[in-house]
Amino acid sequence: MFSKFKPTWMVDAIYKITPTQLKKLGIKAVLTDLDNTLIAWDNPDGTEELWTWILEMKNAGIPVVVVSNNKSSRIKRAVEKFELEYVSRALKPSTRGFREAEKKLNLKPEELVMVGDQIMTDIRGANAAGIKNILVRPIVDTDGWNTRINRFFERKIMKSLAKKHPDMVWKGGLE
């Protein structure tokens, strides 16, 4: 019943995903949510860990593109210092933002992975677009008002999915 919300993988944090892991899986680019996935929703400066991870991806030739439901000005302010491309107003869980990212990168869905902290937007949208995905734990325990509503339903969906799929466990990476 909730299979459209099932993540391909569950990893503790985006920073634990390595270029080696991605290349072994044939993944050529990372699409990522912004708030509580790449940066804390209430702190757009990022961490040293984030800077290191982005540099590792760049050095490995793996582009990182932010796919967010936020407006362009919000995303630009958060990611321009990291020199990342982005898709704003992605309308996740629709496939619109994912298709736009595919075109930007000139890659096929099977060559991409979406990383996000919400199953109702990030994971559901990636599944609908035929893109493998990684659910990560939110960077901080607090959320904006609109996300708190989703979290209520996510807890119920995750409980149901975990019963049906006992292999759905948090891991320290993709291996």
Side-chain angles (χ1 to χ4, degrees):
M1 178 163 123
F2 291 127
S3 60
K4 58 188 167 197
F5 298 101
K6 185 181 182 293
T8 311
W9 298 281
M10 292 169 50
V11 176
D12 290 326
I14 196 169
Y15 319 121
K16 299 201 175 173
I17 301 163
T18 68
T20 303
Q21 294 167 352
L22 295 172
K23 287 182 177 185
K24 278 184 187 175
L25 295 165
I27 294 168
K28 297 180 180 177
V30 174
L31 309 180
T32 179
D33 180 47
L34 180 64
D35 294 323
N36 262 348
T37 299
L38 202 58
I39 60 170
W41 73 275
D42 58 352
N43 178 11
D45 296 328
T47 62
E48 189 65 36
E49 208 172 22
L50 173 60
W51 284 95
T52 301
W53 183 80
I54 290 172
L55 187 60
E56 284 175 4
M57 291 297 151
K58 283 183 179 179
N59 289 341
I62 299 174
V64 175
V65 176
V66 173
V67 179
S68 174
N69 286 344
N70 280 302
K71 61 185 177 179
S72 183
S73 60
R74 160 78 174 96
I75 304 167
K76 182 179 180 185
R77 188 172 65 246
V79 303
E80 67 184 341
K81 62 186 151 287
F82 304 117
E83 298 176 356
L84 297 179
E85 288 199 47
Y86 62 89
V87 174
S88 63
R89 300 272 190 220
L91 302 176
K92 297 178 291 182
S94 85
T95 60
R96 188 192 83 65
F98 297 103
R99 298 296 178 234
E100 189 176 327
E102 286 172 28
K103 287 179 187 158
K104 259 184 206 263
L105 294 162
N106 195 27
L107 292 173
K108 298 174 186 157
E110 58 271 17
E111 297 172 311
L112 303 170
V113 69
M114 174 65 189
V115 183
D117 69 306
Q118 293 188 62
I119 61 169
M120 293 185 70
T121 54
D122 306 314
I123 304 307
R124 170 69 180 100
N127 282 334
I131 296 172
K132 292 177 187 122
N133 49 77
I134 304 168
L135 180 66
V136 293
R137 295 182 193 270
I139 292 175
V140 294
D141 290 332
T142 60
D143 287 302
W145 68 269
N146 53 338
T147 304
R148 283 190 292 250
I149 296 165
N150 282 353
R151 297 280 186 214
F152 172 80
F153 293 106
E154 284 185 355
R155 283 190 290 277
K156 294 183 179 314
I157 295 168
M158 285 296 285
K159 191 174 182 179
S160 174
L161 284 170
K163 276 184 186 175
K164 192 172 182 178
H165 304 280
D167 59 324
M168 274 184 53
V169 294
W170 293 104
K171 297 183 180 171
L174 295 177
E175 298 178 297

